[in-house]
Amino acid sequence: MPVAHTPQGVDVVLEHLFQVGPAVASLRRESSRLAEWGEDLARRLIVGHRILAAGNGGSAAEVQHFTAELLGRYSGERPPFSAIALHGDSSAMTAIGNDYGYDSVFARQVTGHIRRGDVLLLLTTSGRSPNLLAAARAAREAGATTWALTGPAPNPLADVVDEAICVNAPAPNVQEAHLIALHALCGCFDAAVERLVGQL
């Protein structure tokens, strides 16, 4: 049986949708950077480099969504590419967390997996997660490139990585914008792969 909505409930929905606008506007201002990331990532992955990615909570779910798009497909057929969601290995996560502390769960995996020329992508609504900051530092020490999608600037992670896209919005809308950014990145990546493979 249909449930009647309340005026207050509609107000909550409309307010939420209103807040999406500034988040998308932040991405619009960073459209060139997203396009550059897609092109750069394509050039790297085509020659055998890979992307590692990490986040906590909802950001971890988005990371896994993104790596699945690269290993599977985004919108059209293309080869699979190496993309690793660092929280996906629960045994490694729990072993490292137990032995070294939660702040090390990503950094230790980065140190073990990442190589010069690879990319580490970090997602966070706050930009302050100690385990992501540690991962960024580990990747830079290994000679890898570091990118981040964060919430409002300034924040500590944006200062540590090579490049960051900072979304100026409340945390729930930041997370929504990050998914939009990841899909845009996948679209740019696919377009670049199609063009570059044709040149090989």
Side-chain angles (χ1 to χ4, degrees), residues 8-27:
Q8 294 84 2
V10 172
D11 289 344
V12 170
V13 171
L14 292 175
E15 176 62 21
H16 182 86
L17 294 175
F18 177 78
Q19 292 293 341
V20 174
V24 174
S26 287
L27 292 182

Side-chain angles (χ1 to χ4, degrees), residues 10 30 33 41 46 70 72 76 79 101 121 139 158 160 167 175 178 186:
V10 172
E30 295 284 2
R33 189 187 305 270
L41 191 61
I46 282 173
L70 294 179
L121 175 64
V160 171
V167 177
Q175 215 158 58
H178 284 177
C186 286

Side-chain angles (χ1 to χ4, degrees), residues 65-109:
H65 179 112
F66 173 65
T67 56
E69 302 281 29
L70 294 179
L71 277 167
R73 66 178 182 185
Y74 173 61
S75 62
E77 286 299 330
R78 56 146 169 77
F81 292 96
S82 182
I84 302 171
L86 292 177
H87 68 279
D89 186 341
S90 59
S91 294
M93 284 279 292
T94 54
I96 294 166
N98 185 61
D99 293 343
Y100 300 96
Y102 193 69
D103 290 357
S104 300
V105 292
F106 298 134
R108 193 160 178 87
Q109 292 185 77

